[in-house]
Amino acid sequence: MTRDISTPRPPLGSLVIGSTSVIGQAIAHGLAQLGPVQTAGRRDADVFFDLSQPDRVPASVPPFDVVVLAAADFGGPGIDDLIRAEQVNAVGTLAACQLAQRSGARHLILISSVFASHVPGDPHYSIYSLSKRHSEELASLFCSAHGIALTILRPSQVYDAAGACRTHQPLLYAFADQAQAGNDISLFGNNDARRNYLHLDDLVQICTRVAATTTTGLFNCVHPDSPALSEIAQAALSAFGQQGQVRFLREKPDVPDLPAQLLDPALHAAIDFMPQVNIHQGFEMIRQHRERTA
């Protein structure tokens, strides 16, 4: 891990790859604190760039100081899903590295995932896990060879107040839905599995501070607390002020534990920031958003 803040830098020009992704849009908004920001992607972008077509990297790219890759393919079980995920996540990362090089960028920030640390036999190990790990290795290889500072952030399960992250975090938002309706929240099996949820606002702060300080390295990007599912469900009920109960359906299959993901103190010491939103505050933010938009 390195940190270079010895001399003030002029306002950063940043490019965020992932113009339509929830995380990409939020990071672009956060990086605007540091200077001008443009986005790259297939739709609604300043720079057209398709990770699934790595042989079509734009030959002429505006200059940027920082490039953030915040787009990914989550794959699936079919052979076409496997090929697409590997092409987008792994080969596409090499294309993003080439785009960063052509723009003259000094710093590449790769938004990976804690699932990249999963190995065969772990629950939820998939082509997403494998291809994200490949993306990390390829980015490391390219950036080392071409003198580009590299930061790899592995966020845990990311959620937000507006529910834009619902597709990938259905369980958390289902808890919010049941709590809002005043229903009981049912958990399968006997294992009170733990989960780590990181609020999108905290991820944006981390990424922005990493860009501002040129902190480099590979870091877990998780919340300090990994509450049990029953605690998460109770936090939802408390936020909505309802009388529902948390109950276990003992006859159902157990929900598996995920591999433990520990906070990386080196990252937070370097950027002088720790995740601020715990699961109780997160559900409060969800409730407040729903009340404002009802």
Side-chain angles (χ1 to χ4, degrees):
M1 184 273 294
T2 60
R3 188 185 189 203
D4 179 11
I5 55 172
S6 55
T7 57
R9 300 199 304 190
L12 298 173
S14 303
L15 178 70
V16 178
I17 302 171
S19 56
T20 60
S21 78
V22 173
I23 289 176
Q25 290 175 350
I27 288 175
H29 181 75
L31 289 174
Q33 302 173 49
L34 307 179
V37 179
Q38 293 191 33
T39 61
R42 292 179 297 174
R43 302 185 307 276
D44 303 323
D46 301 299
V47 177
F48 178 82
F49 181 59
D50 188 347
L51 289 168
S52 68
Q53 298 180 343
D55 57 335
R56 297 186 180 180
V57 178
S60 178
V61 186
F64 297 103
D65 190 31
V66 178
V67 172
V68 180
L69 176 52
D73 189 290
F74 288 85
I79 184 62
D80 290 342
D81 299 320
L82 303 182
I83 293 171
R84 188 188 67 251
E86 186 70 9
Q87 177 128 357
V88 170
N89 295 342
V91 182
T93 293
L94 275 179
C97 290
Q98 186 177 35
L99 184 70
Q101 181 194 31
R102 289 181 178 177
S103 76
R106 300 193 297 166
H107 188 191
L108 175 67
I109 302 174
L110 171 61
I111 307 299
S112 183
S113 168
V114 293
F115 286 92
S117 66
H118 289 200
V119 298
D122 287 337
H124 307 302
Y125 175 77
S126 66
I127 187 59
Y128 178 67
S129 308
L130 184 60
S131 60
K132 290 300 283 185
R133 186 158 69 249
H134 289 165
S135 77
E136 295 177 355
E137 294 168 353
L138 290 168
S140 296
L141 181 68
F142 186 98
C143 290
S144 176
H146 294 277
I148 299 174
L150 174 65
T151 310
I152 299 171
L153 297 177
R154 286 179 169 179
S156 55
Q157 294 171 270
V158 179
Y159 71 107
D160 69 308
C165 296
R166 179 186 283 267
T167 299
H168 302 298
Q169 310 305 338
L171 182 62
L172 182 140
Y173 293 103
F175 284 178
D177 294 343
Q178 292 301 313
Q180 183 177 19
N183 298 331
D184 290 346
I185 297 179
S186 299
L187 304 176
F188 278 21
N190 296 278
N191 182 41
D192 198 1
R194 294 187 176 274
R195 292 291 183 267
N196 192 287
Y197 287 104
L198 181 70
H199 197 276
L200 181 59
D201 291 353
D202 284 332
L203 176 57
V204 169
Q205 273 292 321
I206 290 168
C207 187
T208 302
R209 287 168 180 255
V210 162
T213 59
T214 319
T215 296
T216 61
L218 168 63
F219 304 105
N220 279 347
C221 191
V222 303
H223 195 275
D225 300 325
S226 294
L229 288 177
S230 62
E231 297 175 71
I232 297 170
Q234 189 57 59
L237 291 168
S238 297
F240 284 94
Q242 300 287 12
Q243 300 303 311
Q245 301 294 315
V246 179
R247 55 194 186 94
F248 284 85
L249 304 180
R250 305 291 182 183
E251 72 281 3
K252 298 292 187 180
D254 285 350
V255 176
D257 290 304
L258 295 179
Q261 302 296 341
L262 301 179
L263 192 77
D264 200 324
L267 169 64
H268 301 291
I271 65 174
D272 192 27
F273 179 81
M274 290 280 289
Q276 301 294 301
V277 183
N278 63 34
I279 198 67
H280 295 274
Q281 295 164 326
F283 277 118
E284 284 287 342
M285 294 165 71
I286 291 172
R287 178 187 60 78
Q288 291 168 12
H289 177 82
R290 292 183 178 188
E291 289 179 351
R292 287 195 305 269
T293 57

